[in-house]
Amino acid sequence: MNKSDNKGKNYAIIGFGSVGKALATAFARNHIQVSVATTRQPEAFAAEAAVIGPEIIPTTLAAAVKADIIFLAVRFESHPDVAKALPSWEGKTIVDVTNAYGVPLEKLGGLPSAKVVENAFTGSKLVKGFNHLIASIISQNPAVPGGKRVVFLTSDDDSAAAEIGRLAEGLGFAPIDLGALSKGGMLVHGYGNTWGQLIFKDLIKAN
């Protein structure tokens, strides 16, 4: 059963730490199947995936990158290694859930961290999202009395932002589009030793 309205799309989460597991929990809650992968073999985390729900499919990194929509839930410093999994990411939407707090500014070159990730995933459509909430909040039911929990999205591709907005709604969240990465991206990323203004803001959009 797929409540996301992105008909025919398949999903993967790369990274199965606290954030990856929280995202998987959101998928399982809504009975949406998603593959999960790490650098480890699937058997190493299959039991953890099974606890979350039958919708969570442990797989290899090579298999996970075949998905249409991929949540990047690894440490920011690890994203270049994941990007090497394919020579081109054409036709894929990457949801950047990483945070670059503490990363030396020279490594970002004055860019929003999501733009650095986008440049690594050649040919992809990138949407920054879900990273402003801590894992324990992401894993909670986003439907609360009187409203739904907000997730901020920012992208240089309007169609990709709309696509992930539909998925976020399917997961029960209330998406808010912050616009292009040069503006919205600066609000939801770590830059050197400072956080964007919307990081850790847990907001509810009234029904």
Side-chain angles (χ1 to χ4, degrees):
M1 178 172 146
N2 191 328
K3 297 181 180 180
S4 73
D5 276 342
N6 289 326
K7 297 187 184 301
K9 300 287 185 179
N10 48 65
Y11 311 108
I13 300 167
I14 296 177
F16 204 51
S18 58
V19 173
K21 290 174 183 174
L23 289 167
T25 299
F27 274 85
R29 182 186 301 114
N30 292 280
H31 308 290
I32 301 174
Q33 184 170 297
V34 62
S35 298
V36 295
T38 72
T39 54
R40 298 178 293 162
Q41 290 300 308
E43 296 79 10
F45 54 94
E48 295 172 277
V51 169
I52 296 174
E55 298 86 358
I56 312 308
I57 311 300
T59 190
T60 62
L61 180 60
V65 298
K66 295 178 181 178
D68 302 301
I69 296 175
I70 299 167
F71 283 75
L72 186 65
V74 299
R75 294 174 64 250
F76 176 82
E77 294 85 346
S78 299
H79 80 266
D81 297 326
V82 178
K84 294 174 184 175
L86 287 177
S88 171
W89 296 81
E90 192 76 33
K92 298 186 182 298
T93 300
I94 304 295
V95 184
D96 177 17
V97 195
T98 68
N99 278 313
Y101 183 82
V103 174
L105 293 180
E106 56 269 22
K107 288 193 174 183
L108 300 178
L111 299 172
S113 59
K115 197 67 180 177
V116 176
V117 174
E118 182 179 53
N119 291 341
F121 287 78
T122 308
S124 71
K125 296 182 291 184
L126 184 134
V127 179
K128 184 79 170 178
F130 292 86
N131 65 296
H132 70 285
L133 296 173
I134 61 175
S136 61
I137 296 295
I138 295 174
S139 64
Q140 294 176 19
N141 190 332
V144 299
K148 294 180 179 179
R149 179 159 281 112
V150 166
V151 288
F152 297 114
L153 305 176
T154 173
S155 178
D156 289 338
D157 188 302
D158 291 343
S159 65
E163 177 181 52
I164 302 307
R166 291 191 296 272
L167 175 56
E169 289 175 343
L171 294 174
F173 293 89
I176 293 180
D177 189 343
L178 299 178
L181 294 174
S182 61
K183 295 180 180 179
M186 300 300 284
L187 298 173
V188 289
H189 83 143
Y191 192 70
N193 292 321
T194 61
W195 289 106
Q197 293 93 325
L198 294 178
I199 292 287
F200 306 136
K201 297 298 186 292
D202 182 15
L203 305 179
I204 303 300
K205 185 176 181 180
N207 290 331

